[in-house]
Each structure stands twice: as structure tokens, then as C-alpha cells.
Amino acid sequence: MSRSAHPAGPRHADVLPEGHYSGPPADLNALDPQIWARTVVRADTGAVTVGGLDVRDLAEEFGTPAYFLDESDFRERCRAWRDAFGSEADVFYAGKAFLSRAVVRWLHEEGLNLDVCSAGELHTALAAGMPADRIALHGNNKSTSEIRQAVEAGVGRIVLDSFQEIARVAHLARELGTVQKVQIRVTVGVEAHTHEFIATAHEDQKFGLALADGQAAEAVRRVLQLDSLELLGIHSHIGSQIFDTSGFEVAAHRVVGLLRQVRDEHGVELPEIDLGGGLGIAYTSEDDPREPHEIAKALGDIVTGECRAAGLSVPRLSVEPGRAIVGPTAFTLYEVGTVKELEGLRTYVSVDGGMSDNIRTALYDAEYSVSLVSRTSEAEPMLSRVVGKHCESGDIVVKDAFLPADLAPGDLLAVPATGAYCRSMASNYNHALRPPVVAVRNGEARVIVRRETEEDLARLDVG
Ligand SMILES: *Cc1c(COP(=O)(O)O)cnc(C)c1O
């Protein structure tokens, strides 16, 4: 039955990268609740269900590859963030993680605000009925047209990213006869990722205005002089997939330092601080993310403590989780096409998608998990690499995974935690048709973003 069982042994430890888990999980059929959407379970049939629906039926109805998004999980996470931060703070969902009209409606209904960073995202937000005053516009190079559309719509804030942009937004707001609320994005010299952060004086990156060399203070001075801008506060975003709040502590300390400087120089206490997003989720069982209430408590304490120490009244806090809300709520369902064993190395399992629906592995060396979901298996674990169907050897979905050795074409595999930065970063490489996003809730499945068709591609190709 099995082509060749590859129980974890010393020869496999050689192939696994250092620091990686060294062996297969105790039970290949088990689903770690930490990395799967909340309603995902393995049913008595052996197949996995989401929202009560069998993945085999979902594959039949919607095809593969496809993203299945657990709507009740999404809504619960929105509520958890909103409740954790309470009425003293604002939660902005970062739309770039994944945005569609259905998502905007859910956010609206659950009381969240929304970050957008392009005219496309702004249109989606407005078209789905998000009130403009609950939208923030981001970006390091917003076009004049994007700024104009945002000001005209009446967005709640524009996060200013450069001196040129201060002038541009001020000019457009004046021309449109309005006063635009703004924040200034500053770089605080903290680079945070996962469990480590680096605090430096300077930061070498394209976003924001640096605190260290006085650019941020100069930006504040300019904005305060402009009648068509109302300065709400200071914005900082320090990284992504962060598990530890110590990077935020340094960021808050430095931002509050600027608030104090602004008070001393201009006699103004700015009413808001935004600490950005970047909070981590579990992609594998090794990851152990904090709950929203723990994060809210930590960030609240940090900001309150820093402001007290600086003799400032505590500003209104906002945060911008993207991944932490949508990431865990979806999985990608693939069908296995080929299984190729490389003797002494690993087994390559090719699925019907790849880097066109999940670029994160190729782009960031991101780690994912994967499970056989159309049935259970008692076969031995085999060290596998799940790859896509694109013309690129870097087209890897899951770099190192243990899958049952009896895996065969036609089996369904699911990769959990693909709600964020997968569909939103999907491409048409090799003229792939971007997969649909199907929302599942209480036994019902509904397409919220349909699968692309060859006609969609043909329409853009005007000969
Ligand atoms: C990307 C981004 C976010 C969201 O990041 P996540 O890692 O998805 O939480 C929030 N704020 C800003 C300014 C961003 O650029």
C-alpha cells in the first residue's frame, strides 16, 4: 500500500532545517485547534468539516483550489478585539490582509473600523457601506487622485507619510473647502518580527518620518501650521507576525517622547496614538500567539505608564490588526495531483494551486502546516514538501510537512491559516485563475469572491 513509509528517523533530521521540529506529530489525523478556524473539526466519517460542511462536498461544489473562510470565527475575532480594547480605543482592521464587500459588512456590523491603502480598497469599503469616518487611508505614496477621493469621501483620517504628502493633503483639503483629520506616521527605530525586536536609533525603510533625526518633529510643526489639517496624533507600525509586546513598549516610549516634545514646543497635547498592527498568529503548532485581551492589557498599560511618566493625559489608543483577525479564519483546499518520491530525500506532493494563491512561502520563507482532510489515514508519516503547479522550482506551499505515506492523487489537502495575505496577494502567474473565497457559516456556504474565469483574463488582453 504505501510507496515507502518514511518514518521520522535520523536520515530525515538531516534534511530538516536547523531549529525546525525534528519529527512527525504524534497523530497525523489530529487538527491543532490553535491553527485551524474555530468550526473546523474531523467528523466521524474521517473527513474534515467546517461550519458543519464536509470538505469533500465543498470541493465538489466549489472546486479546488479554493479558500474557505469561517465567518463565525471571523466575527468572533472582531468582537474579541473590540471588547478587549473597549470604548477607550479603536480597532482598525487592516484591509490589505483580505478585503471584500462581505468582509466590510461584517466589520461594520461588528463595530470595527477599517484601514485602506489604495483607491481600490477605498472603493470596496465605501461600496459595501463602511461609513467614511471609520476609514483610515494609509500608504507611502498615495496618488493625488487617491487623496482627493479620500478627502471627498470624508475619511476619518489620512496617515501622512512624507513632507510632500503633508503639502498635498493640505492643498487638496483646502481646495475642497474642508479640514482633513490626519495622523503622522513615524518610524521609531524598532524592527519587530516574531520573538525578537531590534531597537536602533535609525530605521532604513520607506515608510514614515524618522523620530531620531527630527523629521517627525518637523512634520508635526508643519501640520500644526496648516489650517486645512487637523492633527489627531502619531502613528507607528513596527513589523509583522509579532508575538511579544516588548517591541511595542519601546515604540510607545519613543512615540510618547514625541508627544511630550510637541506639548513642550507647541503647547498642544495630541489626542491619539496608533500603535499599528503586526500581531502574530499560529501557522504551525510551534507558534503560541497572545489573545486580544492580553495584548490590549499590555498595550494599554504601556501607553498609560509612559504618559503618566511624561506628565501627559492618556491619548486615545488605536490598533490595526489584519492577520490576527482574518488569518486563522480560512484554509486553502487543494487536490493532490502527483506524488513523487525522491529516495533518501523527501516526497514531493503537487497540488492544483501554488505560489499564485499563496506567495508567502516563496516570498518570506513562511511556514505553514498541511493536513490530509478528505479521509483519515493510519499510514506512516512521510516527510513531504507540498508544491504547486507553476513553472518555478521555488513554487512551494509547505516546505516541510509530514503527510501519511499512502497519500494519493485525488486526496484533498488543506493548508490552515491562509486567511491573510494569500488571496490578497494572489496572482495570475501562468495565467492561473485566482481561486474563490467561500464563506461558511452554520451549515451554509456562499461564494464571496468568485473564481476567476478564462473570460476574465481574456477581457484584459485587448490584443
Ligand atoms: C500591514 C499593516 C497593518 C496590519 O498588519 P498585520 O500584520 O496584518 O496585523 C497594520 N497597519 C499598517 C500601517 C500596516 O502597514
Side-chain angles (χ1 to χ4, degrees), residues 21 82 116 118 131 136 160 196 212 223 243 246 308 322 331 364 367 370 388 410 429 449 454 458:
Y21 55 83
R82 194 201 55 203
V116 299
S118 69
L160 301 169
E196 290 118 45
V223 172
F243 290 113
S246 50
R308 294 250 164 84
F331 61 83
Y364 311 119
E367 284 192 33
V370 57
Y429 182 44
V449 178
E454 266 139 24

Side-chain angles (χ1 to χ4, degrees), residues 81 92-98 115-117 138-139 159 161 185 207 235-242 274-281 283 319-327 420-421:
W81 278 91
F92 284 75
Y93 168 79
K96 70 181 197 234
F98 173 62
D115 273 357
V116 299
C117 59
H138 280 268
V159 182
D161 200 277
R185 176 154 177 181
F207 292 108
H235 181 284
S236 151
H237 172 75
I238 56 171
S240 63
Q241 187 59 0
I242 305 165
D274 190 314
L275 289 179
L279 299 144
I281 64 164
Y283 285 103
V319 289
E320 305 174 317
R323 185 194 319 266
I325 291 177
V326 71
Y421 305 108

Side-chain angles (χ1 to χ4, degrees), residues 408-460:
D411 278 334
L412 297 176
L413 294 182
V415 174
T418 58
Y421 305 108
C422 286
R423 181 57 181 81
S424 68
M425 288 183 150
S427 79
N428 291 119
Y429 182 44
N430 292 139
H431 286 202
L433 304 172
R434 287 178 294 175
V437 181
V438 180
V440 177
R441 190 187 189 190
N442 297 334
E444 277 175 40
R446 166 172 83 89
V447 174
I448 59 171
V449 178
R450 73 159 166 80
R451 186 183 301 281
E452 260 174 341
T453 62
E454 266 139 24
E455 294 77 69
D456 290 327
L457 295 188
R459 242 194 307 258
L460 299 178

Side-chain angles (χ1 to χ4, degrees), residues 296-319:
K297 166 112 182 39
L299 297 188
D301 288 352
I302 292 166
V303 171
T304 306
E306 290 290 337
C307 288
R308 294 250 164 84
L312 290 163
S313 41
V314 179
R316 189 171 178 84
L317 177 64
S318 47
V319 289

Side-chain angles (χ1 to χ4, degrees), residues 3 18 28 47 54 78 81 92 103 118 156 209 246 261 268 283 287 341 352 360 386 389 418 438 443 456:
R3 270 166 306 283
E18 215 177 319
L28 281 183
D54 189 312
C78 289
W81 278 91
F92 284 75
V103 163
S118 69
L209 290 144
S246 50
Q261 188 187 340
V268 179
Y283 285 103
D287 299 325
E341 191 198 331
D352 49 358
R360 293 190 65 259
V386 178
K389 59 182 289 166
T418 58
V438 180
D456 290 327

